[in-house]
PDB file of all heavy atoms in Angstrom:
ATOM      1  N   TRP B 232      32.567 -38.908-240.241  1.00  0.00           N
ATOM      2  CA  TRP B 232      33.185 -37.679-240.753  1.00  0.00           C
ATOM      3  C   TRP B 232      32.889 -37.432-242.221  1.00  0.00           C
ATOM      4  O   TRP B 232      32.966 -36.289-242.686  1.00  0.00           O
ATOM      5  CB  TRP B 232      34.683 -37.671-240.480  1.00  0.00           C
ATOM      6  CG  TRP B 232      34.962 -37.425-239.021  1.00  0.00           C
ATOM      7  CD1 TRP B 232      35.572 -38.267-238.139  1.00  0.00           C
ATOM      8  CD2 TRP B 232      34.599 -36.253-238.269  1.00  0.00           C
ATOM      9  NE1 TRP B 232      35.613 -37.702-236.886  1.00  0.00           N
ATOM     10  CE2 TRP B 232      35.011 -36.465-236.945  1.00  0.00           C
ATOM     11  CE3 TRP B 232      33.954 -35.058-238.583  1.00  0.00           C
ATOM     12  CZ2 TRP B 232      34.824 -35.523-235.926  1.00  0.00           C
ATOM     13  CZ3 TRP B 232      33.762 -34.122-237.582  1.00  0.00           C
ATOM     14  CH2 TRP B 232      34.192 -34.362-236.275  1.00  0.00           C
ATOM     15  N   GLY B 235      30.273 -35.645-241.350  1.00  0.00           N
ATOM     16  CA  GLY B 235      30.549 -34.586-240.376  1.00  0.00           C
ATOM     17  C   GLY B 235      31.281 -33.398-240.956  1.00  0.00           C
ATOM     18  O   GLY B 235      30.959 -32.255-240.650  1.00  0.00           O
ATOM     19  N   HIS B 236      32.276 -33.644-241.830  1.00  0.00           N
ATOM     20  CA  HIS B 236      32.938 -32.461-242.368  1.00  0.00           C
ATOM     21  C   HIS B 236      32.032 -31.668-243.302  1.00  0.00           C
ATOM     22  O   HIS B 236      31.909 -30.460-243.136  1.00  0.00           O
ATOM     23  CB  HIS B 236      34.305 -32.733-243.009  1.00  0.00           C
ATOM     24  CG  HIS B 236      34.917 -31.434-243.380  1.00  0.00           C
ATOM     25  ND1 HIS B 236      35.571 -30.637-242.471  1.00  0.00           N
ATOM     26  CD2 HIS B 236      34.833 -30.710-244.514  1.00  0.00           C
ATOM     27  CE1 HIS B 236      35.887 -29.503-243.047  1.00  0.00           C
ATOM     28  NE2 HIS B 236      35.452 -29.512-244.289  1.00  0.00           N
ATOM     29  N   PRO B 237      31.361 -32.307-244.266  1.00  0.00           N
ATOM     30  CA  PRO B 237      30.395 -31.521-245.045  1.00  0.00           C
ATOM     31  C   PRO B 237      29.407 -30.774-244.139  1.00  0.00           C
ATOM     32  O   PRO B 237      29.037 -29.640-244.419  1.00  0.00           O
ATOM     33  CB  PRO B 237      29.688 -32.581-245.894  1.00  0.00           C
ATOM     34  CG  PRO B 237      30.691 -33.657-246.061  1.00  0.00           C
ATOM     35  CD  PRO B 237      31.463 -33.690-244.783  1.00  0.00           C
ATOM     36  N   VAL B 239      29.865 -29.275-241.359  1.00  0.00           N
ATOM     37  CA  VAL B 239      30.308 -27.968-240.873  1.00  0.00           C
ATOM     38  C   VAL B 239      30.172 -26.920-241.975  1.00  0.00           C
ATOM     39  O   VAL B 239      29.900 -25.752-241.694  1.00  0.00           O
ATOM     40  CB  VAL B 239      31.739 -27.993-240.291  1.00  0.00           C
ATOM     41  CG1 VAL B 239      31.860 -29.017-239.189  1.00  0.00           C
ATOM     42  CG2 VAL B 239      32.795 -28.208-241.343  1.00  0.00           C
ATOM     43  N   TYR B 240      30.290 -27.334-243.243  1.00  0.00           N
ATOM     44  CA  TYR B 240      30.077 -26.374-244.325  1.00  0.00           C
ATOM     45  C   TYR B 240      28.600 -26.167-244.609  1.00  0.00           C
ATOM     46  O   TYR B 240      28.189 -25.086-245.048  1.00  0.00           O
ATOM     47  CB  TYR B 240      30.871 -26.771-245.575  1.00  0.00           C
ATOM     48  CG  TYR B 240      32.299 -26.348-245.379  1.00  0.00           C
ATOM     49  CD1 TYR B 240      33.255 -27.211-244.879  1.00  0.00           C
ATOM     50  CD2 TYR B 240      32.659 -25.031-245.594  1.00  0.00           C
ATOM     51  CE1 TYR B 240      34.535 -26.787-244.618  1.00  0.00           C
ATOM     52  CE2 TYR B 240      33.934 -24.593-245.338  1.00  0.00           C
ATOM     53  CZ  TYR B 240      34.875 -25.474-244.853  1.00  0.00           C
ATOM     54  OH  TYR B 240      36.119 -25.038-244.575  1.00  0.00           O
ATOM     55  N   GLY B 279      34.563 -29.838-249.688  1.00  0.00           N
ATOM     56  CA  GLY B 279      34.078 -30.242-248.373  1.00  0.00           C
ATOM     57  C   GLY B 279      33.867 -31.746-248.265  1.00  0.00           C
ATOM     58  O   GLY B 279      33.970 -32.329-247.191  1.00  0.00           O
ATOM     59  N   VAL B 282      37.587 -34.111-247.678  1.00  0.00           N
ATOM     60  CA  VAL B 282      38.602 -33.852-246.654  1.00  0.00           C
ATOM     61  C   VAL B 282      38.266 -34.471-245.306  1.00  0.00           C
ATOM     62  O   VAL B 282      38.911 -34.160-244.313  1.00  0.00           O
ATOM     63  CB  VAL B 282      38.788 -32.327-246.476  1.00  0.00           C
ATOM     64  CG1 VAL B 282      39.250 -31.705-247.764  1.00  0.00           C
ATOM     65  CG2 VAL B 282      37.519 -31.666-246.009  1.00  0.00           C
ATOM     66  N   TRP B 283      37.265 -35.390-245.279  1.00  0.00           N
ATOM     67  CA  TRP B 283      36.778 -35.836-243.978  1.00  0.00           C
ATOM     68  C   TRP B 283      37.863 -36.418-243.086  1.00  0.00           C
ATOM     69  O   TRP B 283      37.814 -36.275-241.869  1.00  0.00           O
ATOM     70  CB  TRP B 283      35.627 -36.809-244.168  1.00  0.00           C
ATOM     71  CG  TRP B 283      36.048 -38.195-244.586  1.00  0.00           C
ATOM     72  CD1 TRP B 283      36.317 -39.225-243.731  1.00  0.00           C
ATOM     73  CD2 TRP B 283      36.252 -38.692-245.913  1.00  0.00           C
ATOM     74  NE1 TRP B 283      36.672 -40.344-244.443  1.00  0.00           N
ATOM     75  CE2 TRP B 283      36.642 -40.051-245.786  1.00  0.00           C
ATOM     76  CE3 TRP B 283      36.141 -38.140-247.174  1.00  0.00           C
ATOM     77  CZ2 TRP B 283      36.934 -40.845-246.884  1.00  0.00           C
ATOM     78  CZ3 TRP B 283      36.422 -38.942-248.271  1.00  0.00           C
ATOM     79  CH2 TRP B 283      36.817 -40.267-248.123  1.00  0.00           C
ATOM     80  N   HIS B 285      40.661 -35.498-242.318  1.00  0.00           N
ATOM     81  CA  HIS B 285      41.520 -34.647-241.483  1.00  0.00           C
ATOM     82  C   HIS B 285      41.089 -34.682-240.014  1.00  0.00           C
ATOM     83  O   HIS B 285      41.779 -34.153-239.162  1.00  0.00           O
ATOM     84  CB  HIS B 285      41.621 -33.208-242.025  1.00  0.00           C
ATOM     85  CG  HIS B 285      40.349 -32.426-242.007  1.00  0.00           C
ATOM     86  ND1 HIS B 285      40.081 -31.436-242.905  1.00  0.00           N
ATOM     87  CD2 HIS B 285      39.263 -32.482-241.212  1.00  0.00           C
ATOM     88  CE1 HIS B 285      38.902 -30.914-242.656  1.00  0.00           C
ATOM     89  NE2 HIS B 285      38.386 -31.542-241.632  1.00  0.00           N
ATOM     90  N   HIS B 286      39.970 -35.284-239.752  1.00  0.00           N
ATOM     91  CA  HIS B 286      39.581 -35.491-238.350  1.00  0.00           C
ATOM     92  C   HIS B 286      40.193 -36.778-237.800  1.00  0.00           C
ATOM     93  O   HIS B 286      40.005 -37.095-236.635  1.00  0.00           O
ATOM     94  CB  HIS B 286      38.061 -35.555-238.229  1.00  0.00           C
ATOM     95  CG  HIS B 286      37.394 -34.279-238.612  1.00  0.00           C
ATOM     96  ND1 HIS B 286      37.179 -33.263-237.719  1.00  0.00           N
ATOM     97  CD2 HIS B 286      36.952 -33.825-239.809  1.00  0.00           C
ATOM     98  CE1 HIS B 286      36.605 -32.247-238.341  1.00  0.00           C
ATOM     99  NE2 HIS B 286      36.462 -32.562-239.621  1.00  0.00           N
ATOM    100  N   THR B 304      42.595 -30.442-247.606  1.00  0.00           N
ATOM    101  CA  THR B 304      42.008 -29.549-246.619  1.00  0.00           C
ATOM    102  C   THR B 304      42.518 -28.123-246.802  1.00  0.00           C
ATOM    103  O   THR B 304      41.750 -27.162-246.752  1.00  0.00           O
ATOM    104  CB  THR B 304      42.352 -30.036-245.205  1.00  0.00           C
ATOM    105  OG1 THR B 304      41.898 -31.375-245.077  1.00  0.00           O
ATOM    106  CG2 THR B 304      41.699 -29.174-244.159  1.00  0.00           C
ATOM    107  N   HIS B 371      39.468 -23.675-232.210  1.00  0.00           N
ATOM    108  CA  HIS B 371      39.251 -23.595-233.665  1.00  0.00           C
ATOM    109  C   HIS B 371      37.774 -23.695-234.014  1.00  0.00           C
ATOM    110  O   HIS B 371      37.214 -22.827-234.674  1.00  0.00           O
ATOM    111  CB  HIS B 371      40.026 -24.692-234.398  1.00  0.00           C
ATOM    112  CG  HIS B 371      39.453 -25.036-235.746  1.00  0.00           C
ATOM    113  ND1 HIS B 371      39.474 -24.158-236.803  1.00  0.00           N
ATOM    114  CD2 HIS B 371      38.799 -26.141-236.203  1.00  0.00           C
ATOM    115  CE1 HIS B 371      38.874 -24.709-237.846  1.00  0.00           C
ATOM    116  NE2 HIS B 371      38.457 -25.911-237.505  1.00  0.00           N
TER     117      HIS B 371
HETATM  118 CU1   CU C 702      36.548 -31.052-240.972  1.00  0.00          CU
END
Side-chain angles (χ1 to χ4, degrees):
Chain B
W232 287 117
H236 186 81
V239 304
Y240 281 94
V282 299
W283 77 91
H285 65 209
H286 296 272
T304 304
H371 157 67

